[in-house]
Amino acid sequence: MASLGRLLTATRGRGKLDWTDWASYLYLGLGTLLMLGPVLWLALSSLKSPSGLIEFPPTLLPQEQVRAAVPNYPNPLPLYRITKGDHAGQTLAEVRKIGLQATMVDPAAPETLIRVPIDDRSKIMRLHAAWDNYTDLLKKFDFGRYLWNSVFITTVATIITLLLNSMAAFALSKYKFAGREPVFLMMLATLMIPPTIILVPNYLIAAVLGLTDNPWGVIWPAVATPTGVFLLRQYMLTLPDDLLEAARMDNASEWRIYWRIVLPLSKPALAVLAIFSVMWRWNEFLWPMVVLGRNETFTLPLALNSFQGELTTQWNYLLAMTVVTLVPVTVIFALLQRHITQGIASAGVK
């Protein structure tokens, strides 16, 4: 924390801010605003009520219109502050609105009806966080099952992806055999094939194997990724061959060399691939939508889509669930971010 503070307060000038310091702070501040501004807006909007989401002009903080209980009226009425006319400065409650005129009453004297042009008044607002957007997800929707499906698919797929990709990368980087380079080039060439091209063949294979409407149908088709093999292979090329030869001289098996030497030394690259894999699996929408048909097998992205209907969209629940889906990826990134730069830089050495 101290080193971070010194980094943020470092200057090029001696005892004062140089113009380059001002330019750097301006650039960093603008970049932070552009990257985190939409996320902050999303998080605050998820705490707004349905009526607050359609307010114009929109506000950054979650607000709601103040309501008051008025005698002779069964429901609380919205309050307005009159800005023009004979009743300027008064706080009145709206009974009904027809066209450009509103019928209002004074909460202290509800017997008298007052007609006020709608342009001569302003809403009385207050800060209010609609935490019901989050609690209702657990009460009204099967959110726990959707969350478990996403966590299970993401965790298992990431573990299998790291295992299979690291095995392939180990073979392509440390073993010399006929056709090694053509195999590697053919594997990279698959990156040029759009996923939609192989969508139907993948579904037919999953259907034959009985993997439809099953989480394993989402996991298996994408556990071997050319990007992951390329990233790990480039990193493993930097590992000294003498270290592996010394292990072989000590009668270590190839599996022991892979498991006890290569994998621990490849932690930075594995961390980068783990982050990529979590992002891919957690946010994947098209393939789960194709292979999963039953509601109880849906992942969070599919559940998000269910809040959007043909005629109405439950924006408050949609935004709240979107924030929830961002949390796991953010946590994984925060835990592994120190390996990202090292892993990507090392993967491009050779």
mmCIF file with all atom_site columns, all heavy atoms in Angstrom, residues 206-222:
data_model
loop_
_atom_site.group_PDB
_atom_site.id
_atom_site.type_symbol
_atom_site.label_atom_id
_atom_site.label_alt_id
_atom_site.label_comp_id
_atom_site.label_asym_id
_atom_site.label_entity_id
_atom_site.label_seq_id
_atom_site.pdbx_PDB_ins_code
_atom_site.Cartn_x
_atom_site.Cartn_y
_atom_site.Cartn_z
_atom_site.occupancy
_atom_site.B_iso_or_equiv
_atom_site.pdbx_formal_charge
_atom_site.auth_seq_id
_atom_site.auth_comp_id
_atom_site.auth_asym_id
_atom_site.auth_atom_id
_atom_site.pdbx_PDB_model_num
ATOM 1   N N   . ALA A 1 206 ? -22.828 -33.581 -29.993 1.00 0.00 ? 206 ALA A N   1
ATOM 2   C CA  . ALA A 1 206 ? -23.324 -33.553 -28.615 1.00 0.00 ? 206 ALA A CA  1
ATOM 3   C C   . ALA A 1 206 ? -24.632 -34.331 -28.487 1.00 0.00 ? 206 ALA A C   1
ATOM 4   O O   . ALA A 1 206 ? -24.862 -35.024 -27.491 1.00 0.00 ? 206 ALA A O   1
ATOM 5   C CB  . ALA A 1 206 ? -23.507 -32.112 -28.149 1.00 0.00 ? 206 ALA A CB  1
ATOM 6   N N   . ALA A 1 207 ? -25.489 -34.224 -29.510 1.00 0.00 ? 207 ALA A N   1
ATOM 7   C CA  . ALA A 1 207 ? -26.761 -34.953 -29.458 1.00 0.00 ? 207 ALA A CA  1
ATOM 8   C C   . ALA A 1 207 ? -26.540 -36.462 -29.532 1.00 0.00 ? 207 ALA A C   1
ATOM 9   O O   . ALA A 1 207 ? -27.197 -37.229 -28.822 1.00 0.00 ? 207 ALA A O   1
ATOM 10  C CB  . ALA A 1 207 ? -27.665 -34.486 -30.601 1.00 0.00 ? 207 ALA A CB  1
ATOM 11  N N   . VAL A 1 208 ? -25.613 -36.905 -30.382 1.00 0.00 ? 208 VAL A N   1
ATOM 12  C CA  . VAL A 1 208 ? -25.323 -38.332 -30.493 1.00 0.00 ? 208 VAL A CA  1
ATOM 13  C C   . VAL A 1 208 ? -24.757 -38.880 -29.190 1.00 0.00 ? 208 VAL A C   1
ATOM 14  O O   . VAL A 1 208 ? -25.074 -39.999 -28.767 1.00 0.00 ? 208 VAL A O   1
ATOM 15  C CB  . VAL A 1 208 ? -24.355 -38.588 -31.668 1.00 0.00 ? 208 VAL A CB  1
ATOM 16  C CG1 . VAL A 1 208 ? -23.866 -40.037 -31.653 1.00 0.00 ? 208 VAL A CG1 1
ATOM 17  C CG2 . VAL A 1 208 ? -25.028 -38.276 -32.991 1.00 0.00 ? 208 VAL A CG2 1
ATOM 18  N N   . LEU A 1 209 ? -23.926 -38.078 -28.521 1.00 0.00 ? 209 LEU A N   1
ATOM 19  C CA  . LEU A 1 209 ? -23.308 -38.515 -27.266 1.00 0.00 ? 209 LEU A CA  1
ATOM 20  C C   . LEU A 1 209 ? -24.226 -38.319 -26.061 1.00 0.00 ? 209 LEU A C   1
ATOM 21  O O   . LEU A 1 209 ? -23.843 -38.664 -24.940 1.00 0.00 ? 209 LEU A O   1
ATOM 22  C CB  . LEU A 1 209 ? -22.003 -37.748 -27.034 1.00 0.00 ? 209 LEU A CB  1
ATOM 23  C CG  . LEU A 1 209 ? -20.896 -37.988 -28.068 1.00 0.00 ? 209 LEU A CG  1
ATOM 24  C CD1 . LEU A 1 209 ? -19.688 -37.117 -27.768 1.00 0.00 ? 209 LEU A CD1 1
ATOM 25  C CD2 . LEU A 1 209 ? -20.494 -39.461 -28.105 1.00 0.00 ? 209 LEU A CD2 1
ATOM 26  N N   . GLY A 1 210 ? -25.413 -37.774 -26.277 1.00 0.00 ? 210 GLY A N   1
ATOM 27  C CA  . GLY A 1 210 ? -26.352 -37.573 -25.178 1.00 0.00 ? 210 GLY A CA  1
ATOM 28  C C   . GLY A 1 210 ? -25.960 -36.452 -24.232 1.00 0.00 ? 210 GLY A C   1
ATOM 29  O O   . GLY A 1 210 ? -26.264 -36.521 -23.037 1.00 0.00 ? 210 GLY A O   1
ATOM 30  N N   . LEU A 1 211 ? -25.316 -35.408 -24.758 1.00 0.00 ? 211 LEU A N   1
ATOM 31  C CA  . LEU A 1 211 ? -24.840 -34.312 -23.922 1.00 0.00 ? 211 LEU A CA  1
ATOM 32  C C   . LEU A 1 211 ? -25.730 -33.081 -23.981 1.00 0.00 ? 211 LEU A C   1
ATOM 33  O O   . LEU A 1 211 ? -25.384 -32.056 -23.389 1.00 0.00 ? 211 LEU A O   1
ATOM 34  C CB  . LEU A 1 211 ? -23.408 -33.921 -24.340 1.00 0.00 ? 211 LEU A CB  1
ATOM 35  C CG  . LEU A 1 211 ? -22.329 -34.985 -24.135 1.00 0.00 ? 211 LEU A CG  1
ATOM 36  C CD1 . LEU A 1 211 ? -20.978 -34.473 -24.627 1.00 0.00 ? 211 LEU A CD1 1
ATOM 37  C CD2 . LEU A 1 211 ? -22.243 -35.377 -22.662 1.00 0.00 ? 211 LEU A CD2 1
ATOM 38  N N   . THR A 1 212 ? -26.854 -33.150 -24.697 1.00 0.00 ? 212 THR A N   1
ATOM 39  C CA  . THR A 1 212 ? -27.755 -32.003 -24.723 1.00 0.00 ? 212 THR A CA  1
ATOM 40  C C   . THR A 1 212 ? -28.519 -31.918 -23.403 1.00 0.00 ? 212 THR A C   1
ATOM 41  O O   . THR A 1 212 ? -28.758 -32.931 -22.736 1.00 0.00 ? 212 THR A O   1
ATOM 42  C CB  . THR A 1 212 ? -28.748 -32.129 -25.887 1.00 0.00 ? 212 THR A CB  1
ATOM 43  O OG1 . THR A 1 212 ? -29.438 -33.377 -25.785 1.00 0.00 ? 212 THR A OG1 1
ATOM 44  C CG2 . THR A 1 212 ? -28.018 -32.081 -27.222 1.00 0.00 ? 212 THR A CG2 1
ATOM 45  N N   . ASP A 1 213 ? -28.893 -30.695 -23.046 1.00 0.00 ? 213 ASP A N   1
ATOM 46  C CA  . ASP A 1 213 ? -29.556 -30.435 -21.762 1.00 0.00 ? 213 ASP A CA  1
ATOM 47  C C   . ASP A 1 213 ? -28.724 -30.958 -20.596 1.00 0.00 ? 213 ASP A C   1
ATOM 48  O O   . ASP A 1 213 ? -29.251 -31.442 -19.583 1.00 0.00 ? 213 ASP A O   1
ATOM 49  C CB  . ASP A 1 213 ? -30.952 -31.070 -21.719 1.00 0.00 ? 213 ASP A CB  1
ATOM 50  C CG  . ASP A 1 213 ? -31.918 -30.373 -22.652 1.00 0.00 ? 213 ASP A CG  1
ATOM 51  O OD1 . ASP A 1 213 ? -31.701 -29.185 -22.938 1.00 0.00 ? 213 ASP A OD1 1
ATOM 52  O OD2 . ASP A 1 213 ? -32.883 -31.021 -23.102 1.00 0.00 ? 213 ASP A OD2 1
ATOM 53  N N   . ASN A 1 214 ? -27.400 -30.844 -20.743 1.00 0.00 ? 214 ASN A N   1
ATOM 54  C CA  . ASN A 1 214 ? -26.471 -31.355 -19.756 1.00 0.00 ? 214 ASN A CA  1
ATOM 55  C C   . ASN A 1 214 ? -25.300 -30.392 -19.646 1.00 0.00 ? 214 ASN A C   1
ATOM 56  O O   . ASN A 1 214 ? -24.764 -29.962 -20.677 1.00 0.00 ? 214 ASN A O   1
ATOM 57  C CB  . ASN A 1 214 ? -25.980 -32.747 -20.178 1.00 0.00 ? 214 ASN A CB  1
ATOM 58  C CG  . ASN A 1 214 ? -25.225 -33.453 -19.070 1.00 0.00 ? 214 ASN A CG  1
ATOM 59  O OD1 . ASN A 1 214 ? -24.418 -32.846 -18.374 1.00 0.00 ? 214 ASN A OD1 1
ATOM 60  N ND2 . ASN A 1 214 ? -25.484 -34.742 -18.904 1.00 0.00 ? 214 ASN A ND2 1
ATOM 61  N N   . PRO A 1 215 ? -24.871 -30.034 -18.436 1.00 0.00 ? 215 PRO A N   1
ATOM 62  C CA  . PRO A 1 215 ? -23.722 -29.117 -18.311 1.00 0.00 ? 215 PRO A CA  1
ATOM 63  C C   . PRO A 1 215 ? -22.470 -29.621 -19.021 1.00 0.00 ? 215 PRO A C   1
ATOM 64  O O   . PRO A 1 215 ? -21.669 -28.818 -19.505 1.00 0.00 ? 215 PRO A O   1
ATOM 65  C CB  . PRO A 1 215 ? -23.514 -29.017 -16.795 1.00 0.00 ? 215 PRO A CB  1
ATOM 66  C CG  . PRO A 1 215 ? -24.835 -29.343 -16.205 1.00 0.00 ? 215 PRO A CG  1
ATOM 67  C CD  . PRO A 1 215 ? -25.451 -30.362 -17.125 1.00 0.00 ? 215 PRO A CD  1
ATOM 68  N N   . TRP A 1 216 ? -22.284 -30.938 -19.081 1.00 0.00 ? 216 TRP A N   1
ATOM 69  C CA  . TRP A 1 216 ? -21.101 -31.469 -19.760 1.00 0.00 ? 216 TRP A CA  1
ATOM 70  C C   . TRP A 1 216 ? -21.129 -31.199 -21.253 1.00 0.00 ? 216 TRP A C   1
ATOM 71  O O   . TRP A 1 216 ? -20.078 -31.178 -21.903 1.00 0.00 ? 216 TRP A O   1
ATOM 72  C CB  . TRP A 1 216 ? -20.967 -32.961 -19.489 1.00 0.00 ? 216 TRP A CB  1
ATOM 73  C CG  . TRP A 1 216 ? -20.630 -33.260 -18.067 1.00 0.00 ? 216 TRP A CG  1
ATOM 74  C CD1 . TRP A 1 216 ? -21.486 -33.674 -17.094 1.00 0.00 ? 216 TRP A CD1 1
ATOM 75  C CD2 . TRP A 1 216 ? -19.352 -33.120 -17.445 1.00 0.00 ? 216 TRP A CD2 1
ATOM 76  N NE1 . TRP A 1 216 ? -20.819 -33.807 -15.899 1.00 0.00 ? 216 TRP A NE1 1
ATOM 77  C CE2 . TRP A 1 216 ? -19.508 -33.485 -16.081 1.00 0.00 ? 216 TRP A CE2 1
ATOM 78  C CE3 . TRP A 1 216 ? -18.103 -32.730 -17.891 1.00 0.00 ? 216 TRP A CE3 1
ATOM 79  C CZ2 . TRP A 1 216 ? -18.454 -33.455 -15.171 1.00 0.00 ? 216 TRP A CZ2 1
ATOM 80  C CZ3 . TRP A 1 216 ? -17.036 -32.701 -16.997 1.00 0.00 ? 216 TRP A CZ3 1
ATOM 81  C CH2 . TRP A 1 216 ? -17.219 -33.066 -15.663 1.00 0.00 ? 216 TRP A CH2 1
ATOM 82  N N   . GLY A 1 217 ? -22.301 -30.988 -21.809 1.00 0.00 ? 217 GLY A N   1
ATOM 83  C CA  . GLY A 1 217 ? -22.386 -30.610 -23.210 1.00 0.00 ? 217 GLY A CA  1
ATOM 84  C C   . GLY A 1 217 ? -21.842 -29.224 -23.472 1.00 0.00 ? 217 GLY A C   1
ATOM 85  O O   . GLY A 1 217 ? -21.454 -28.905 -24.601 1.00 0.00 ? 217 GLY A O   1
ATOM 86  N N   . VAL A 1 218 ? -21.820 -28.368 -22.463 1.00 0.00 ? 218 VAL A N   1
ATOM 87  C CA  . VAL A 1 218 ? -21.217 -27.045 -22.580 1.00 0.00 ? 218 VAL A CA  1
ATOM 88  C C   . VAL A 1 218 ? -19.714 -27.110 -22.316 1.00 0.00 ? 218 VAL A C   1
ATOM 89  O O   . VAL A 1 218 ? -18.932 -26.359 -22.903 1.00 0.00 ? 218 VAL A O   1
ATOM 90  C CB  . VAL A 1 218 ? -21.890 -26.056 -21.596 1.00 0.00 ? 218 VAL A CB  1
ATOM 91  C CG1 . VAL A 1 218 ? -21.296 -24.664 -21.724 1.00 0.00 ? 218 VAL A CG1 1
ATOM 92  C CG2 . VAL A 1 218 ? -23.388 -26.011 -21.834 1.00 0.00 ? 218 VAL A CG2 1
ATOM 93  N N   . ILE A 1 219 ? -19.292 -28.036 -21.473 1.00 0.00 ? 219 ILE A N   1
ATOM 94  C CA  . ILE A 1 219 ? -17.899 -28.094 -21.031 1.00 0.00 ? 219 ILE A CA  1
ATOM 95  C C   . ILE A 1 219 ? -16.982 -28.700 -22.088 1.00 0.00 ? 219 ILE A C   1
ATOM 96  O O   . ILE A 1 219 ? -15.976 -28.096 -22.489 1.00 0.00 ? 219 ILE A O   1
ATOM 97  C CB  . ILE A 1 219 ? -17.794 -28.879 -19.711 1.00 0.00 ? 219 ILE A CB  1
ATOM 98  C CG1 . ILE A 1 219 ? -18.517 -28.133 -18.590 1.00 0.00 ? 219 ILE A CG1 1
ATOM 99  C CG2 . ILE A 1 219 ? -16.331 -29.127 -19.349 1.00 0.00 ? 219 ILE A CG2 1
ATOM 100 C CD1 . ILE A 1 219 ? -18.613 -28.924 -17.299 1.00 0.00 ? 219 ILE A CD1 1
ATOM 101 N N   . TRP A 1 220 ? -17.322 -29.904 -22.576 1.00 0.00 ? 220 TRP A N   1
ATOM 102 C CA  . TRP A 1 220 ? -16.374 -30.669 -23.385 1.00 0.00 ? 220 TRP A CA  1
ATOM 103 C C   . TRP A 1 220 ? -16.028 -30.062 -24.739 1.00 0.00 ? 220 TRP A C   1
ATOM 104 O O   . TRP A 1 220 ? -14.857 -30.105 -25.138 1.00 0.00 ? 220 TRP A O   1
ATOM 105 C CB  . TRP A 1 220 ? -16.892 -32.094 -23.587 1.00 0.00 ? 220 TRP A CB  1
ATOM 106 C CG  . TRP A 1 220 ? -16.716 -32.969 -22.393 1.00 0.00 ? 220 TRP A CG  1
ATOM 107 C CD1 . TRP A 1 220 ? -17.691 -33.549 -21.643 1.00 0.00 ? 220 TRP A CD1 1
ATOM 108 C CD2 . TRP A 1 220 ? -15.480 -33.356 -21.781 1.00 0.00 ? 220 TRP A CD2 1
ATOM 109 N NE1 . TRP A 1 220 ? -17.153 -34.265 -20.598 1.00 0.00 ? 220 TRP A NE1 1
ATOM 110 C CE2 . TRP A 1 220 ? -15.782 -34.171 -20.662 1.00 0.00 ? 220 TRP A CE2 1
ATOM 111 C CE3 . TRP A 1 220 ? -14.138 -33.088 -22.059 1.00 0.00 ? 220 TRP A CE3 1
ATOM 112 C CZ2 . TRP A 1 220 ? -14.816 -34.711 -19.849 1.00 0.00 ? 220 TRP A CZ2 1
ATOM 113 C CZ3 . TRP A 1 220 ? -13.165 -33.634 -21.240 1.00 0.00 ? 220 TRP A CZ3 1
ATOM 114 C CH2 . TRP A 1 220 ? -13.494 -34.438 -20.156 1.00 0.00 ? 220 TRP A CH2 1
ATOM 115 N N   . PRO A 1 221 ? -16.962 -29.498 -25.514 1.00 0.00 ? 221 PRO A N   1
ATOM 116 C CA  . PRO A 1 221 ? -16.600 -29.057 -26.868 1.00 0.00 ? 221 PRO A CA  1
ATOM 117 C C   . PRO A 1 221 ? -15.517 -27.981 -26.929 1.00 0.00 ? 221 PRO A C   1
ATOM 118 O O   . PRO A 1 221 ? -14.894 -27.813 -27.984 1.00 0.00 ? 221 PRO A O   1
ATOM 119 C CB  . PRO A 1 221 ? -17.930 -28.527 -27.429 1.00 0.00 ? 221 PRO A CB  1
ATOM 120 C CG  . PRO A 1 221 ? -18.973 -29.252 -26.667 1.00 0.00 ? 221 PRO A CG  1
ATOM 121 C CD  . PRO A 1 221 ? -18.411 -29.393 -25.283 1.00 0.00 ? 221 PRO A CD  1
ATOM 122 N N   . ALA A 1 222 ? -15.279 -27.249 -25.861 1.00 0.00 ? 222 ALA A N   1
ATOM 123 C CA  . ALA A 1 222 ? -14.346 -26.118 -25.948 1.00 0.00 ? 222 ALA A CA  1
ATOM 124 C C   . ALA A 1 222 ? -13.208 -26.197 -24.943 1.00 0.00 ? 222 ALA A C   1
ATOM 125 O O   . ALA A 1 222 ? -12.579 -25.181 -24.640 1.00 0.00 ? 222 ALA A O   1
ATOM 126 C CB  . ALA A 1 222 ? -15.112 -24.806 -25.745 1.00 0.00 ? 222 ALA A CB  1
#
